C-alpha cells in the first residue's frame, strides 16, 4: 500500500470530537477514509475516556487501524530532569497497543537524564518520538542538541517533524529538515499562513508548493500525519481526499 497515512484526531477540532462522543467515535470516519492509522490525543480525553483506554485500543484494532499516542507534555521539565509522568504516558501508550508515544522536547540541558530515559524505554518496550512544538524548546538549536546526544548514546529515540511549527518559533522549516531529516520517523503534515501576529494551519492543497518541497526533503518512508483542519459535511470524504493526496505525493 506504500507509505502510511495517520489521521490526527485533533484535525477534526476539539468541539467536533466532543460533539461526536469522543475520539472513539471518530475511528469509523478515519477507517472509512482508507487511512492506515490514528493518532490519539491525550488532551482530548475526558476523565472517563482515559479510564477506557483498553476499549479504545480494541476499537482501533477491530477497525484495522494502527495507533499512535500523543501526550501534551515535555520530555524534560524546566530543571532539566525527566518528566516524572513519562512512565504513566508510556504505560497508556502500551495499553493502546500504540506504535509510539509522542511528546515534546521540553527543557533539554545535558545527557545525564538520558540514561534514565534509556532504562524507562527498555522497561516499557514502547518507542518514543519527540516533536518540535510551538515553544522556544521546539526551536532548531535545542532539537539539534537533543538529536546529537541521542546519537552519541545510541538512544532509540527518533523525531516527529512538524512542518508548520518551525514557523511559529521563527525557524526555517527547510533548514530544520536539512539538519534533522535523518532522525525523523514521523511527519506532521500541514501548511501554514500568517494570521494576526502568528500563523494558522491550513490544508496543503490550499497553500503554495512550499509544503510539498519541504515534504520531499524528509524521509519518504516516514508515516505522514494529517494535522491540518478537516472540515465539511462529509468528514469521511474530506479525510479520504487528503489521505489519497498524501499517499500519492
Amino acid at each position: 500500500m506504500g507509505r502510511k497515512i495517520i489521521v490526527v484526531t485533533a484535525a477534526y477540532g476539539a468541539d467536533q470530537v466532543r460533539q461526536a462522543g469522543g475520539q472513539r467515535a471518530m475511528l469509523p470516519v478515519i477507517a472509512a477514509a482508507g487511512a492506515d492509522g490514528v493518532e490519539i490525543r491525550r488532551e482530548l480525553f475526558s476523565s472517563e475516556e482515559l479510564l477506557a483506554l483498553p476499549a479504545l485500543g480494541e476499537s482501533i484494532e477491530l477497525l484495522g487501524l494502527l495507533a499512535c499516542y500523543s501526550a501534551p507534555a515535555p520530555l524534560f521539565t524546566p530543571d532539566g530532569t525527566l518528566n516524572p509522568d513519562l512512565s504513566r504516558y508510556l504505560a497508556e501508550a502500551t495499553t493502546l497497543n500504540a506504535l509510539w508515544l509522542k511528546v515534546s522536547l521540553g527543557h533539554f540541558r545535558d545527557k545525564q537524564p538520558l540514561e534514565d530515559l534509556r532504562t524507562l524505554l527498555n522497561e516499557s518496550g514502547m518507542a518514543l518520538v519527540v516533536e518540535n512544538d510551538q515553544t522556544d524548546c521546539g526551536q532548531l538549536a535545542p532539537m539539534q542538541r537533543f538529536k546529537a546526544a541521542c546519537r552519541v548514546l545510541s538512544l532509540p529515540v527518533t523525531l516527529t517533524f512538524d512542518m508548520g511549527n518551525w514557523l511559529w518559533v521563527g525557524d526555517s522549516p527547510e533548514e530544520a529538515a536539512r539538519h534533522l531529516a535523518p532522525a525523523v520517523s514521523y511527519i506532521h503534515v500541514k501548511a501554514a499562513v500568517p494570521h494576526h501576529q502568528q500563523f494558522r494551519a491550513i490544508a496543503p492543497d490550499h497553500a503554495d508548493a512550499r509544503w510539498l518541497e519541504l515534504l520531499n526533503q524528509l524521509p519518504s518512508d516516514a508515516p505522514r500525519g494529517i494535522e491540518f483542519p478537516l472540515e465539511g459535511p462529509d468528514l469521511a470524504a474530506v479525510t479520504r481526499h487528503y489521505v489519497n493526496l498524501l499517499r500519492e505525493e
Side-chain angles (χ1 to χ4, degrees):
M1 184 176 284
R3 61 175 59 94
K4 302 293 187 202
I5 308 299
I6 309 293
V7 178
V8 181
T9 55
Y12 297 107
D15 290 341
Q16 171 70 40
V17 171
R18 199 174 299 113
Q19 290 167 12
Q23 293 179 88
R24 190 176 181 182
M26 305 310 299
L27 300 179
V29 173
I30 293 169
D36 299 287
V38 57
E39 181 182 311
I40 297 295
R41 301 291 282 248
R42 195 178 197 274
E43 68 269 26
L44 294 183
F45 282 138
S46 65
S47 54
E48 293 81 10
E49 288 171 323
L50 194 52
L51 293 172
L53 281 181
L56 178 59
E58 287 177 15
S59 296
I60 293 170
E61 187 175 356
L62 284 171
L63 286 168
L65 295 171
L66 304 170
C68 313
Y69 189 50
S70 172
L75 183 57
F76 299 99
T77 64
D79 65 4
T81 59
L82 271 183
N83 188 326
D85 293 322
L86 182 61
S87 57
R88 179 198 308 170
Y89 302 144
L90 289 166
E92 290 169 356
T94 299
T95 300
L96 275 177
N97 293 317
L99 296 174
W100 59 73
L101 167 69
K102 179 177 73 65
V103 295
S104 60
L105 180 59
H107 300 266
F108 174 67
R109 294 184 180 177
D110 55 53
K111 294 184 288 188
Q112 188 173 352
L114 293 182
E115 288 301 338
D116 293 333
L117 177 59
R118 186 198 306 277
T119 300
L120 268 182
L121 295 179
N122 287 343
E123 289 172 352
S124 73
M126 178 55 58
L128 182 70
V129 298
V130 176
E131 180 181 27
N132 57 297
D133 66 5
Q134 294 178 10
T135 72
D136 290 348
C137 299
Q139 290 181 313
L140 177 55
M143 294 293 290
Q144 279 186 276
R145 288 197 301 272
F146 177 69
K147 172 195 169 215
C150 289
R151 187 178 67 246
V152 168
L153 294 176
S154 299
L155 198 68
V157 177
T158 53
L159 304 181
T160 293
F161 189 101
D162 187 296
M163 293 169 57
N165 284 355
W166 302 108
L167 298 173
W168 268 261
V169 299
D171 280 335
S172 159
E174 292 78 14
E175 183 182 0
R178 283 194 294 273
H179 289 288
L180 300 178
V184 170
S185 66
Y186 181 38
I187 304 165
H188 266 183
V189 178
K190 62 164 74 98
V193 293
H195 182 66
H196 299 309
Q197 301 303 310
Q198 264 300 349
F199 293 86
R200 65 181 177 91
I202 61 170
D205 56 352
H206 293 175
D208 60 29
R210 183 181 185 182
W211 74 275
L212 186 54
E213 294 164 2
L214 176 60
L215 193 58
N216 288 334
Q217 286 186 249
L218 299 169
S220 61
D221 58 348
R224 297 173 172 183
I226 294 176
E227 210 204 14
F228 45 83
L230 294 172
E231 302 167 326
D234 188 340
L235 287 177
V238 171
T239 306
R240 186 182 308 111
H241 167 73
Y242 289 110
V243 166
N244 292 337
L245 176 70
L246 295 193
R247 191 170 276 140
E248 292 163 4
E249 291 294 356

